[in-house]
Amino acid sequence: MTDLINLIRGKCPNCEKGNIFSSRGNVFLFRMPRMHRKCENCGYNFVQEPGYFFGAMYVSYVLTIAEMIAIMVIVKFMLGLGNLYVFFIVAVVAVALSTFNFRMSRTIWMYIFRKKKAPEQT
Ligand SMILES: [Zn+2]
């Protein structure tokens, strides 16, 4: 459960204290989220190898489809709006959530393939 909370908060997959992203990004200001290369707290390398986040695209795809289906169900079946409204509302929500999906997909990808180090003995 704490893993899920740390994932949503964007914490380091190793120590769960350092932040993965230095800025959250804002799609309306054309700013993409910025990532630290290494954890500020434990030095965990977030970019394990070149092209490491290529697979995060698939996670992003799944997230976006799930959000679109959820929004479509809410708009079409709960609010009873027409197909054109559904299309535009889904498109606007997909754009609005794009930086969130960017951060979440990379974080989920790192949590899937993390190699947790044992805490150092002092
Ligand atoms: Zn860390």
Side-chain angles (χ1 to χ4, degrees):
M1 191 64 191
T2 54
D3 279 354
L4 184 67
I5 293 166
N6 286 328
L7 193 157
I8 292 167
R9 291 175 63 207
K11 295 296 178 186
C12 168
N14 188 46
C15 67
E16 298 172 343
K17 287 183 182 131
N19 290 321
I20 295 170
F21 290 92
S22 57
S23 78
R24 298 167 63 93
N26 188 330
V27 71
F28 302 109
L29 300 174
F30 303 105
R31 280 198 207 123
M32 290 301 284
R34 286 178 171 257
M35 237 182 113
H36 294 292
R37 288 196 68 79
K38 290 185 180 221
C39 177
E40 293 170 319
N41 187 47
C42 69
Y44 181 80
N45 190 10
F46 293 138
V47 186
Q48 296 285 319
E49 59 193 25
Y52 179 67
F53 291 111
F54 191 73
M57 276 193 325
Y58 300 106
V59 178
S60 177
Y61 178 73
V62 170
L63 276 177
T64 307
I65 295 297
E67 289 160 2
M68 286 179 154
I69 289 171
I71 297 298
M72 191 198 78
V73 166
I74 290 169
V75 173
K76 186 153 180 76
F77 300 111
M78 290 177 158
L79 301 178
L81 296 176
N83 287 340
L84 197 62
Y85 288 108
V86 172
F87 173 79
F88 282 112
I89 291 170
V90 166
V92 166
V93 170
V95 170
L97 290 177
S98 60
T99 53
F100 171 79
N101 287 335
F102 180 90
R103 284 185 285 119
M104 277 299 109
S105 60
R106 284 188 172 214
T107 310
I108 290 169
W109 190 251
M110 276 192 275
Y111 270 72
I112 290 172
F113 293 106
R114 69 178 164 176
K115 299 169 195 123
K116 239 180 169 180
K117 283 183 247 165
E120 284 177 32
Q121 303 293 318
T122 49

